[in-house]
Amino acid sequence: MNPFASRFNSQNWVLPVSIMCLVLGFMISLAWVTKDNRSSRFSLLGPDQRERVNQATVDIEAFQQLSAEVSKLRLEKTELENGLAKRGEEGSILNKSLQELKVFAGTTKVAGPGVVITLRDSPKAQSDFAANNGNFLPDTVVHDDDVLKVVNELYASGAEAISVNGHRVAGATSFRCVGPTILVNDVKIAPPVVIRAIGDADTLYGGMNLAGGILSIVRTEESSMVHIEKVKDQELPAFVGKTSSRFLKVPEEPKKQ
């Protein structure tokens, strides 16, 4: 028995496998296409084959450039979208703050519950005026300071917005008598004076009916001079007076060192 027989038989696969690897490597080397051998292989093709190859050829460099450009544009688009979203958010916050300031300043119309106070001259006003020979207006007539005190007490009671005969009360609003009329925002009004206030109706109603308040004082002259009622909803106009300033300015913030 040959001691090397089994060993030799076990290695029978080495030769065919080696040959297959050589053939496969040769085929791969032939199939491998580079920039250098592409042109040399192209010259070996026939005219009709060259035409078909030309029609089907893809410019790899151009394709890569286009891919890079698409990726760049996609990134810029994403950045732009993020920027717009951020600016939209900031713009929304800014607009909300602006609307709140407009409401606070009275430059926009508002609506809500509250109270309506009506001030009227007393039926005795004419006779009292005649009795004083027209030298001064009696207390049975609604005065500018009556309107001012009612407005102040409404604010003290929690009113958030007030109008007087359809004129919105704002920071620059003034009240003063001019003969038989009252000026509100430099516009003449005459009794009855209707004062509307937006706020908690119960609180406003209770605050304006306190003993010793302006309404109780007016009622001592004549109860019919005052009427107050709660309302569930009412609309107040925007302030239409002067909003520009000649001397007012915002101070500059000191620069940080």
Side-chain angles (χ1 to χ4, degrees):
M1 184 175 182
N2 187 356
F4 302 99
S6 60
R7 183 177 177 181
F8 179 79
N9 292 335
S10 63
Q11 300 296 324
N12 288 341
W13 59 272
V14 174
L15 182 60
V17 170
S18 299
I19 295 173
M20 289 179 62
C21 289
L22 289 173
V23 173
L24 180 61
F26 180 72
M27 293 175 64
I28 291 175
S29 65
L30 290 176
W32 190 264
V33 179
T34 65
K35 293 181 180 178
D36 296 330
N37 64 21
R38 182 182 293 113
S39 57
S40 62
R41 293 186 179 190
F42 183 77
S43 62
L44 298 176
L45 298 176
D48 57 335
Q49 291 175 322
R50 291 181 187 182
E51 185 178 355
R52 288 197 297 270
V53 170
N54 280 330
Q55 292 175 354
T57 296
V58 175
D59 191 335
I60 303 299
E61 291 183 358
F63 176 77
Q64 291 175 344
Q65 290 178 358
L66 287 174
S67 297
E69 188 67 22
V70 169
S71 298
K72 181 182 177 182
L73 291 174
R74 186 178 293 131
L75 179 61
E76 291 177 352
K77 176 177 177 291
T78 301
E79 292 176 350
L80 181 61
E81 289 174 345
N82 292 337
L84 289 173
K86 186 177 179 181
R87 290 181 183 180
E89 218 173 287
E90 293 174 351
S92 177
I93 294 172
L94 181 62
N95 183 60
K96 182 179 179 182
S97 299
L98 178 61
Q99 297 306 319
E100 290 175 351
L101 286 174
K102 286 174 64 178
V103 170
F104 180 77
T107 56
T108 183
K109 64 180 180 180
V110 291
V115 296
V116 178
I117 298 172
T118 305
L119 303 178
R120 292 184 175 87
D121 290 343
S122 169
K124 300 184 296 181
Q126 281 297 103
S127 58
D128 290 345
F129 185 72
N132 293 318
N133 296 319
N135 293 326
F136 62 91
L137 293 175
D139 291 336
T140 48
V141 173
V142 176
H143 295 272
D144 57 343
D145 60 337
D146 296 327
V147 178
L148 177 60
K149 288 176 181 178
V150 170
V151 168
N152 287 340
E153 285 198 7
L154 281 168
Y155 277 129
S157 299
E160 297 177 353
I162 299 173
S163 69
V164 177
N165 275 29
H167 300 281
R168 183 73 172 273
V169 177
T173 299
S174 60
F175 304 92
R176 62 190 180 94
C177 277
V178 179
T181 62
I182 300 173
L183 285 183
V184 180
N185 293 333
D186 295 328
V187 179
K188 291 181 180 181
I189 66 169
V193 179
V194 180
I195 304 172
R196 296 181 178 273
I198 292 177
D200 183 270
D202 294 331
T203 302
L204 294 176
Y205 189 86
M208 296 307 297
N209 281 300
L210 287 175
I214 180 60
L215 295 188
S216 65
I217 293 174
V218 174
R219 286 189 182 108
T220 59
E221 295 295 333
E222 176 66 50
S223 60
S224 63
M225 293 178 66
V226 176
H227 177 74
I228 180 171
E229 63 176 324
K230 301 177 188 178
V231 291
K232 293 182 178 180
D233 189 52
Q234 59 184 330
E235 186 175 291
L236 274 59
F239 176 74
V240 294
K242 184 179 178 182
T243 56
S244 59
S245 303
R246 291 178 56 196
F247 306 102
L248 183 68
K249 65 179 182 179
V250 179
E252 295 181 1
E253 293 291 334
K255 296 182 178 179
K256 295 182 179 180
Q257 299 296 333

